[in-house]
Short mmCIF file of all heavy atoms in Angstrom, two decimals:
data_model
loop_
_atom_site.label_atom_id
_atom_site.label_comp_id
_atom_site.label_asym_id
_atom_site.label_seq_id
_atom_site.Cartn_x
_atom_site.Cartn_y
_atom_site.Cartn_z
N MET A 1073 -77.94 5.01 65.85
CA MET A 1073 -78.43 3.69 65.41
C MET A 1073 -77.71 2.61 66.23
O MET A 1073 -76.50 2.67 66.41
CB MET A 1073 -78.11 3.52 63.93
CG MET A 1073 -78.47 2.19 63.34
SD MET A 1073 -77.77 2.02 61.69
CE MET A 1073 -76.10 1.51 62.06
N TYR A 1074 -78.48 1.64 66.70
CA TYR A 1074 -77.86 0.55 67.44
C TYR A 1074 -77.22 -0.43 66.48
O TYR A 1074 -77.85 -0.88 65.53
CB TYR A 1074 -78.90 -0.21 68.28
CG TYR A 1074 -79.28 0.52 69.54
CD1 TYR A 1074 -80.55 1.06 69.68
CD2 TYR A 1074 -78.35 0.67 70.56
CE1 TYR A 1074 -80.90 1.75 70.84
CE2 TYR A 1074 -78.69 1.36 71.71
CZ TYR A 1074 -79.97 1.89 71.85
OH TYR A 1074 -80.30 2.56 72.99
N VAL A 1075 -75.96 -0.74 66.73
CA VAL A 1075 -75.29 -1.79 65.98
C VAL A 1075 -75.44 -3.10 66.76
O VAL A 1075 -75.76 -4.15 66.20
CB VAL A 1075 -73.80 -1.45 65.77
CG1 VAL A 1075 -73.06 -2.61 65.12
CG2 VAL A 1075 -73.67 -0.19 64.93
N CYS A 1076 -75.22 -3.03 68.06
CA CYS A 1076 -75.28 -4.21 68.92
C CYS A 1076 -76.46 -4.10 69.87
O CYS A 1076 -76.47 -3.25 70.75
CB CYS A 1076 -73.98 -4.31 69.70
SG CYS A 1076 -73.93 -5.70 70.83
N LEU A 1077 -77.45 -4.93 69.64
CA LEU A 1077 -78.66 -4.88 70.48
C LEU A 1077 -78.41 -5.51 71.85
O LEU A 1077 -78.98 -5.09 72.84
CB LEU A 1077 -79.82 -5.56 69.78
CG LEU A 1077 -80.34 -4.84 68.54
CD1 LEU A 1077 -81.47 -5.63 67.92
CD2 LEU A 1077 -80.79 -3.43 68.86
N CYS A 1078 -77.56 -6.52 71.89
CA CYS A 1078 -77.31 -7.20 73.17
C CYS A 1078 -76.80 -6.22 74.22
O CYS A 1078 -77.23 -6.26 75.36
CB CYS A 1078 -76.30 -8.32 73.00
SG CYS A 1078 -76.93 -9.71 72.08
N LEU A 1079 -75.87 -5.38 73.81
CA LEU A 1079 -75.24 -4.47 74.77
C LEU A 1079 -75.62 -3.01 74.52
O LEU A 1079 -75.12 -2.12 75.21
CB LEU A 1079 -73.72 -4.64 74.73
CG LEU A 1079 -73.23 -5.98 75.26
CD1 LEU A 1079 -71.74 -6.12 75.09
CD2 LEU A 1079 -73.58 -6.15 76.73
N GLY A 1080 -76.49 -2.78 73.55
CA GLY A 1080 -76.92 -1.41 73.28
C GLY A 1080 -75.80 -0.50 72.82
O GLY A 1080 -75.72 0.65 73.21
N VAL A 1081 -74.91 -1.04 71.97
CA VAL A 1081 -73.80 -0.22 71.46
C VAL A 1081 -74.24 0.43 70.15
O VAL A 1081 -74.73 -0.25 69.24
CB VAL A 1081 -72.54 -1.09 71.23
CG1 VAL A 1081 -71.39 -0.22 70.71
CG2 VAL A 1081 -72.14 -1.79 72.51
N THR A 1082 -74.04 1.74 70.06
CA THR A 1082 -74.45 2.47 68.86
C THR A 1082 -73.28 2.71 67.91
O THR A 1082 -72.12 2.60 68.32
CB THR A 1082 -75.04 3.85 69.24
OG1 THR A 1082 -73.99 4.61 69.86
CG2 THR A 1082 -76.21 3.71 70.21
N ASP A 1083 -73.60 3.06 66.67
CA ASP A 1083 -72.55 3.40 65.70
C ASP A 1083 -71.73 4.59 66.22
O ASP A 1083 -70.52 4.66 66.02
CB ASP A 1083 -73.14 3.67 64.31
CG ASP A 1083 -74.16 4.79 64.30
OD1 ASP A 1083 -74.73 5.09 65.37
OD2 ASP A 1083 -74.40 5.35 63.23
N HIS A 1084 -72.41 5.48 66.91
CA HIS A 1084 -71.74 6.66 67.47
C HIS A 1084 -70.66 6.23 68.48
O HIS A 1084 -69.55 6.77 68.46
CB HIS A 1084 -72.82 7.51 68.15
CG HIS A 1084 -72.39 8.91 68.37
ND1 HIS A 1084 -72.45 9.87 67.40
CD2 HIS A 1084 -71.86 9.50 69.48
CE1 HIS A 1084 -71.99 11.01 67.90
NE2 HIS A 1084 -71.63 10.82 69.15
N GLN A 1085 -71.00 5.28 69.34
CA GLN A 1085 -70.03 4.81 70.34
C GLN A 1085 -68.83 4.14 69.67
O GLN A 1085 -67.69 4.28 70.13
CB GLN A 1085 -70.70 3.82 71.28
CG GLN A 1085 -71.58 4.47 72.32
CD GLN A 1085 -72.35 3.41 73.09
OE1 GLN A 1085 -73.38 2.94 72.63
NE2 GLN A 1085 -71.83 3.01 74.23
N ILE A 1086 -69.10 3.42 68.59
CA ILE A 1086 -68.01 2.75 67.87
C ILE A 1086 -67.10 3.79 67.23
O ILE A 1086 -65.87 3.71 67.34
CB ILE A 1086 -68.58 1.77 66.83
CG1 ILE A 1086 -69.24 0.59 67.57
CG2 ILE A 1086 -67.49 1.28 65.87
CD1 ILE A 1086 -69.98 -0.38 66.68
N ARG A 1087 -67.69 4.81 66.62
CA ARG A 1087 -66.87 5.87 66.01
C ARG A 1087 -66.06 6.59 67.09
O ARG A 1087 -64.87 6.86 66.91
CB ARG A 1087 -67.75 6.88 65.26
CG ARG A 1087 -68.26 6.30 63.97
CD ARG A 1087 -68.74 7.36 63.01
NE ARG A 1087 -69.38 6.72 61.88
CZ ARG A 1087 -70.68 6.51 61.80
NH1 ARG A 1087 -71.50 6.91 62.74
NH2 ARG A 1087 -71.19 5.90 60.74
N ASP A 1088 -66.70 6.90 68.21
CA ASP A 1088 -65.99 7.58 69.29
C ASP A 1088 -64.80 6.76 69.78
O ASP A 1088 -63.74 7.30 70.06
CB ASP A 1088 -66.94 7.85 70.47
CG ASP A 1088 -67.79 9.09 70.25
OD1 ASP A 1088 -67.52 9.81 69.27
OD2 ASP A 1088 -68.72 9.32 71.04
N ALA A 1089 -65.00 5.44 69.89
CA ALA A 1089 -63.91 4.56 70.35
C ALA A 1089 -62.72 4.67 69.40
O ALA A 1089 -61.57 4.69 69.84
CB ALA A 1089 -64.40 3.12 70.45
N ILE A 1090 -62.99 4.77 68.11
CA ILE A 1090 -61.92 4.89 67.12
C ILE A 1090 -61.25 6.26 67.22
O ILE A 1090 -60.03 6.37 67.25
CB ILE A 1090 -62.45 4.61 65.70
CG1 ILE A 1090 -62.83 3.14 65.61
CG2 ILE A 1090 -61.42 4.98 64.64
CD1 ILE A 1090 -63.69 2.78 64.44
N TYR A 1091 -62.06 7.31 67.36
CA TYR A 1091 -61.49 8.66 67.48
C TYR A 1091 -60.66 8.77 68.76
O TYR A 1091 -59.73 9.56 68.84
CB TYR A 1091 -62.59 9.73 67.47
CG TYR A 1091 -63.37 9.78 66.18
CD1 TYR A 1091 -64.72 10.11 66.17
CD2 TYR A 1091 -62.74 9.49 64.95
CE1 TYR A 1091 -65.44 10.15 64.99
CE2 TYR A 1091 -63.45 9.53 63.77
CZ TYR A 1091 -64.80 9.85 63.79
OH TYR A 1091 -65.52 9.89 62.62
N GLU A 1092 -61.01 7.98 69.76
CA GLU A 1092 -60.28 8.02 71.02
C GLU A 1092 -59.07 7.09 71.03
O GLU A 1092 -58.41 6.92 72.06
CB GLU A 1092 -61.23 7.69 72.18
CG GLU A 1092 -62.14 8.86 72.51
CD GLU A 1092 -63.35 8.48 73.36
OE1 GLU A 1092 -63.36 7.37 73.89
OE2 GLU A 1092 -64.26 9.30 73.45
N GLY A 1093 -58.79 6.44 69.92
CA GLY A 1093 -57.55 5.69 69.82
C GLY A 1093 -57.62 4.24 69.41
O GLY A 1093 -56.59 3.62 69.14
N CYS A 1094 -58.81 3.63 69.41
CA CYS A 1094 -58.89 2.24 68.96
C CYS A 1094 -58.53 2.18 67.48
O CYS A 1094 -59.00 2.99 66.69
CB CYS A 1094 -60.30 1.69 69.15
SG CYS A 1094 -60.75 1.47 70.88
N CYS A 1095 -57.69 1.21 67.10
CA CYS A 1095 -57.33 1.14 65.69
C CYS A 1095 -57.55 -0.24 65.11
O CYS A 1095 -56.93 -0.60 64.11
CB CYS A 1095 -55.91 1.64 65.47
SG CYS A 1095 -54.71 0.85 66.51
N SER A 1096 -58.40 -1.03 65.72
CA SER A 1096 -58.77 -2.31 65.13
C SER A 1096 -60.13 -2.72 65.69
O SER A 1096 -60.58 -2.18 66.71
CB SER A 1096 -57.74 -3.38 65.50
OG SER A 1096 -57.80 -3.64 66.89
N TYR A 1097 -60.77 -3.68 64.99
CA TYR A 1097 -62.06 -4.18 65.48
C TYR A 1097 -61.89 -4.76 66.88
O TYR A 1097 -62.72 -4.56 67.75
CB TYR A 1097 -62.62 -5.22 64.52
CG TYR A 1097 -63.83 -5.92 65.09
CD1 TYR A 1097 -65.03 -5.23 65.27
CD2 TYR A 1097 -63.78 -7.25 65.48
CE1 TYR A 1097 -66.13 -5.85 65.82
CE2 TYR A 1097 -64.88 -7.88 66.03
CZ TYR A 1097 -66.05 -7.17 66.20
OH TYR A 1097 -67.14 -7.79 66.75
N ARG A 1098 -60.79 -5.46 67.08
CA ARG A 1098 -60.55 -6.09 68.37
C ARG A 1098 -60.51 -5.06 69.50
O ARG A 1098 -61.08 -5.27 70.57
CB ARG A 1098 -59.22 -6.85 68.30
CG ARG A 1098 -59.05 -7.78 69.46
CD ARG A 1098 -57.93 -8.74 69.18
NE ARG A 1098 -57.24 -8.97 70.43
CZ ARG A 1098 -56.01 -9.42 70.52
NH1 ARG A 1098 -55.33 -9.67 69.43
NH2 ARG A 1098 -55.46 -9.62 71.67
N GLN A 1099 -59.83 -3.96 69.26
CA GLN A 1099 -59.76 -2.93 70.30
C GLN A 1099 -61.12 -2.29 70.54
O GLN A 1099 -61.48 -1.98 71.68
CB GLN A 1099 -58.73 -1.86 69.90
CG GLN A 1099 -57.32 -2.38 70.01
CD GLN A 1099 -56.28 -1.34 69.61
OE1 GLN A 1099 -56.61 -0.25 69.19
NE2 GLN A 1099 -55.03 -1.71 69.74
N VAL A 1100 -61.88 -2.10 69.45
CA VAL A 1100 -63.23 -1.54 69.61
C VAL A 1100 -64.10 -2.51 70.40
O VAL A 1100 -64.87 -2.11 71.27
CB VAL A 1100 -63.86 -1.24 68.23
CG1 VAL A 1100 -65.34 -0.89 68.36
CG2 VAL A 1100 -63.11 -0.11 67.53
N ARG A 1101 -63.95 -3.78 70.13
CA ARG A 1101 -64.73 -4.79 70.84
C ARG A 1101 -64.38 -4.77 72.33
O ARG A 1101 -65.27 -4.83 73.18
CB ARG A 1101 -64.43 -6.17 70.24
CG ARG A 1101 -65.36 -7.26 70.73
CD ARG A 1101 -64.97 -8.59 70.14
NE ARG A 1101 -63.61 -8.93 70.54
CZ ARG A 1101 -62.87 -9.87 69.96
NH1 ARG A 1101 -63.35 -10.57 68.96
NH2 ARG A 1101 -61.64 -10.11 70.38
N GLU A 1102 -63.10 -4.65 72.62
CA GLU A 1102 -62.69 -4.62 74.02
C GLU A 1102 -63.18 -3.34 74.71
O GLU A 1102 -63.55 -3.36 75.88
CB GLU A 1102 -61.17 -4.73 74.13
CG GLU A 1102 -60.73 -6.17 73.94
CD GLU A 1102 -59.23 -6.32 73.67
OE1 GLU A 1102 -58.49 -5.33 73.79
OE2 GLU A 1102 -58.83 -7.46 73.34
N ALA A 1103 -63.20 -2.24 73.97
CA ALA A 1103 -63.60 -0.96 74.57
C ALA A 1103 -65.11 -0.85 74.76
O ALA A 1103 -65.58 -0.29 75.74
CB ALA A 1103 -63.10 0.20 73.70
N THR A 1104 -65.88 -1.41 73.83
CA THR A 1104 -67.34 -1.20 73.87
C THR A 1104 -68.11 -2.46 74.24
O THR A 1104 -69.27 -2.39 74.63
CB THR A 1104 -67.87 -0.72 72.50
OG1 THR A 1104 -67.64 -1.77 71.54
CG2 THR A 1104 -67.18 0.56 72.03
N GLY A 1105 -67.49 -3.62 74.06
CA GLY A 1105 -68.20 -4.89 74.29
C GLY A 1105 -68.98 -5.36 73.08
O GLY A 1105 -69.61 -6.42 73.12
N VAL A 1106 -68.94 -4.59 72.00
CA VAL A 1106 -69.70 -4.95 70.80
C VAL A 1106 -69.32 -6.35 70.32
O VAL A 1106 -68.15 -6.72 70.30
CB VAL A 1106 -69.48 -3.88 69.69
CG1 VAL A 1106 -68.08 -3.93 69.12
CG2 VAL A 1106 -70.51 -4.04 68.57
N GLY A 1107 -70.33 -7.15 70.00
CA GLY A 1107 -70.08 -8.48 69.44
C GLY A 1107 -69.67 -9.53 70.45
O GLY A 1107 -69.28 -10.63 70.06
N THR A 1108 -69.75 -9.22 71.74
CA THR A 1108 -69.27 -10.19 72.72
C THR A 1108 -70.38 -11.07 73.30
O THR A 1108 -70.12 -11.93 74.11
CB THR A 1108 -68.55 -9.48 73.89
OG1 THR A 1108 -69.46 -8.56 74.49
CG2 THR A 1108 -67.32 -8.74 73.42
N GLN A 1109 -71.62 -10.85 72.85
CA GLN A 1109 -72.71 -11.68 73.37
C GLN A 1109 -73.14 -12.68 72.30
O GLN A 1109 -72.50 -13.70 72.14
CB GLN A 1109 -73.86 -10.79 73.84
CG GLN A 1109 -73.45 -9.84 74.97
CD GLN A 1109 -73.05 -10.56 76.25
OE1 GLN A 1109 -73.79 -11.42 76.72
NE2 GLN A 1109 -71.91 -10.22 76.79
N CYS A 1110 -74.19 -12.35 71.53
CA CYS A 1110 -74.67 -13.33 70.54
C CYS A 1110 -73.80 -13.36 69.29
O CYS A 1110 -73.80 -14.33 68.55
CB CYS A 1110 -76.12 -13.04 70.16
SG CYS A 1110 -76.29 -11.60 69.09
N GLY A 1111 -73.08 -12.26 69.03
CA GLY A 1111 -72.19 -12.20 67.88
C GLY A 1111 -72.84 -11.81 66.56
O GLY A 1111 -72.16 -11.67 65.56
N LYS A 1112 -74.16 -11.59 66.57
CA LYS A 1112 -74.85 -11.26 65.31
C LYS A 1112 -74.41 -9.92 64.73
O LYS A 1112 -74.52 -9.70 63.53
CB LYS A 1112 -76.37 -11.21 65.55
CG LYS A 1112 -77.03 -12.56 65.47
CD LYS A 1112 -78.53 -12.39 65.56
CE LYS A 1112 -79.18 -13.72 65.91
NZ LYS A 1112 -80.50 -13.55 66.52
N CYS A 1113 -73.97 -9.03 65.58
CA CYS A 1113 -73.61 -7.70 65.11
C CYS A 1113 -72.17 -7.63 64.61
O CYS A 1113 -71.74 -6.61 64.10
CB CYS A 1113 -73.78 -6.70 66.25
SG CYS A 1113 -72.71 -7.10 67.65
N ALA A 1114 -71.41 -8.71 64.78
CA ALA A 1114 -69.98 -8.66 64.51
C ALA A 1114 -69.66 -8.21 63.08
O ALA A 1114 -68.78 -7.37 62.88
CB ALA A 1114 -69.33 -10.01 64.80
N CYS A 1115 -70.40 -8.74 62.11
CA CYS A 1115 -70.12 -8.42 60.71
C CYS A 1115 -70.34 -6.93 60.45
O CYS A 1115 -69.49 -6.26 59.87
CB CYS A 1115 -71.00 -9.29 59.82
SG CYS A 1115 -70.43 -9.34 58.15
N GLU A 1116 -71.48 -6.43 60.90
CA GLU A 1116 -71.79 -5.02 60.69
C GLU A 1116 -70.79 -4.13 61.45
O GLU A 1116 -70.33 -3.11 60.94
CB GLU A 1116 -73.21 -4.74 61.17
CG GLU A 1116 -73.69 -3.36 60.76
CD GLU A 1116 -75.11 -3.09 61.21
OE1 GLU A 1116 -75.84 -4.05 61.50
OE2 GLU A 1116 -75.47 -1.91 61.26
N ALA A 1117 -70.47 -4.55 62.68
CA ALA A 1117 -69.54 -3.76 63.48
C ALA A 1117 -68.17 -3.71 62.81
O ALA A 1117 -67.53 -2.67 62.77
CB ALA A 1117 -69.44 -4.35 64.88
N LYS A 1118 -67.74 -4.85 62.28
CA LYS A 1118 -66.43 -4.89 61.60
C LYS A 1118 -66.41 -3.95 60.41
O LYS A 1118 -65.44 -3.23 60.18
CB LYS A 1118 -66.13 -6.31 61.11
CG LYS A 1118 -65.45 -7.15 62.15
CD LYS A 1118 -65.14 -8.53 61.60
CE LYS A 1118 -65.09 -9.52 62.74
NZ LYS A 1118 -65.18 -10.91 62.32
N ASN A 1119 -67.50 -3.96 59.63
CA ASN A 1119 -67.58 -3.08 58.46
C ASN A 1119 -67.52 -1.62 58.88
O ASN A 1119 -66.83 -0.81 58.26
CB ASN A 1119 -68.88 -3.32 57.69
CG ASN A 1119 -68.76 -4.53 56.79
OD1 ASN A 1119 -67.66 -4.89 56.37
ND2 ASN A 1119 -69.88 -5.16 56.51
N LEU A 1120 -68.24 -1.30 59.93
CA LEU A 1120 -68.26 0.08 60.41
C LEU A 1120 -66.86 0.51 60.87
O LEU A 1120 -66.39 1.60 60.54
CB LEU A 1120 -69.27 0.21 61.56
CG LEU A 1120 -69.42 1.59 62.16
CD1 LEU A 1120 -69.87 2.61 61.11
CD2 LEU A 1120 -70.42 1.55 63.30
N VAL A 1121 -66.19 -0.37 61.60
CA VAL A 1121 -64.83 -0.07 62.06
C VAL A 1121 -63.92 0.14 60.86
O VAL A 1121 -63.16 1.11 60.81
CB VAL A 1121 -64.30 -1.20 62.97
CG1 VAL A 1121 -62.80 -1.03 63.24
CG2 VAL A 1121 -65.07 -1.23 64.29
N ARG A 1122 -64.02 -0.75 59.89
CA ARG A 1122 -63.15 -0.66 58.71
C ARG A 1122 -63.36 0.68 58.00
O ARG A 1122 -62.42 1.38 57.66
CB ARG A 1122 -63.45 -1.82 57.77
CG ARG A 1122 -62.34 -2.07 56.78
CD ARG A 1122 -62.64 -3.30 55.90
NE ARG A 1122 -62.90 -4.49 56.66
CZ ARG A 1122 -63.92 -5.34 56.42
NH1 ARG A 1122 -64.75 -5.11 55.43
NH2 ARG A 1122 -64.09 -6.40 57.14
N HIS A 1123 -64.64 1.03 57.77
CA HIS A 1123 -64.92 2.28 57.06
C HIS A 1123 -64.49 3.50 57.87
O HIS A 1123 -63.97 4.46 57.32
CB HIS A 1123 -66.42 2.37 56.74
CG HIS A 1123 -66.81 1.48 55.62
ND1 HIS A 1123 -67.91 0.66 55.66
CD2 HIS A 1123 -66.23 1.25 54.42
CE1 HIS A 1123 -67.98 -0.04 54.53
NE2 HIS A 1123 -66.97 0.30 53.77
N THR A 1124 -64.71 3.44 59.18
CA THR A 1124 -64.38 4.60 60.01
C THR A 1124 -62.88 4.79 60.08
O THR A 1124 -62.38 5.92 59.96
CB THR A 1124 -64.98 4.44 61.42
OG1 THR A 1124 -66.38 4.18 61.29
CG2 THR A 1124 -64.77 5.69 62.25
N ILE A 1125 -62.13 3.71 60.26
CA ILE A 1125 -60.67 3.81 60.31
C ILE A 1125 -60.14 4.38 59.00
O ILE A 1125 -59.25 5.22 58.97
CB ILE A 1125 -60.03 2.44 60.64
CG1 ILE A 1125 -60.27 2.13 62.11
CG2 ILE A 1125 -58.53 2.44 60.33
CD1 ILE A 1125 -59.83 0.74 62.53
N HIS A 1126 -60.73 3.96 57.90
CA HIS A 1126 -60.34 4.45 56.59
C HIS A 1126 -60.51 5.97 56.48
O HIS A 1126 -59.71 6.65 55.85
CB HIS A 1126 -61.20 3.74 55.53
CG HIS A 1126 -60.72 3.95 54.14
ND1 HIS A 1126 -59.60 3.32 53.65
CD2 HIS A 1126 -61.20 4.73 53.14
CE1 HIS A 1126 -59.43 3.70 52.38
NE2 HIS A 1126 -60.37 4.55 52.06
N ASP A 1127 -61.57 6.50 57.13
CA ASP A 1127 -61.88 7.93 57.04
C ASP A 1127 -61.07 8.78 58.00
O ASP A 1127 -61.01 10.00 57.85
CB ASP A 1127 -63.36 8.17 57.37
CG ASP A 1127 -64.26 7.62 56.27
OD1 ASP A 1127 -63.75 7.34 55.17
OD2 ASP A 1127 -65.47 7.48 56.53
N VAL A 1128 -60.49 8.15 59.05
CA VAL A 1128 -59.80 8.94 60.09
C VAL A 1128 -58.52 9.55 59.53
O VAL A 1128 -57.81 8.92 58.78
CB VAL A 1128 -59.49 8.06 61.33
CG1 VAL A 1128 -58.53 8.79 62.28
CG2 VAL A 1128 -60.77 7.71 62.04
FE1 FES B 913 -74.11 -7.58 69.42
FE2 FES B 913 -75.63 -9.64 70.13
S1 FES B 913 -76.17 -7.92 68.89
S2 FES B 913 -73.52 -9.34 70.54
#
């Protein structure tokens, strides 16, 4: 599922970034570019990061 349409970032890519060592939304944003264009996906991306980090 696409979280960020501007850059075509999927939930899978966000999870992978966390499994590969990102431990904050900021790091995920830097690794994937999510939320760096229009910013509409930021809220959803943050929630996904929060939930995924909680599960790791
Ligand atoms: Fe992610 Fe626009 S949808 S920055």
Side-chain angles (χ1 to χ4, degrees):
M1073 177 190 82
Y1074 283 111
V1075 174
C1076 179
L1077 292 179
C1078 289
L1079 292 176
V1081 181
T1082 64
D1083 58 339
H1084 199 82
Q1085 282 173 277
I1086 291 173
R1087 286 198 188 94
D1088 279 351
I1090 292 165
Y1091 297 147
E1092 284 164 13
C1094 290
C1095 52
S1096 67
Y1097 171 68
R1098 193 166 144 201
Q1099 288 179 356
V1100 170
R1101 190 182 60 196
E1102 282 165 8
T1104 64
V1106 70
T1108 58
Q1109 299 296 310
C1110 74
K1112 275 186 197 157
C1113 61
C1115 197
E1116 190 179 341
K1118 272 182 207 164
N1119 279 334
L1120 181 60
V1121 169
R1122 199 177 305 134
H1123 285 134
T1124 306
I1125 286 173
H1126 191 74
D1127 291 345
V1128 168

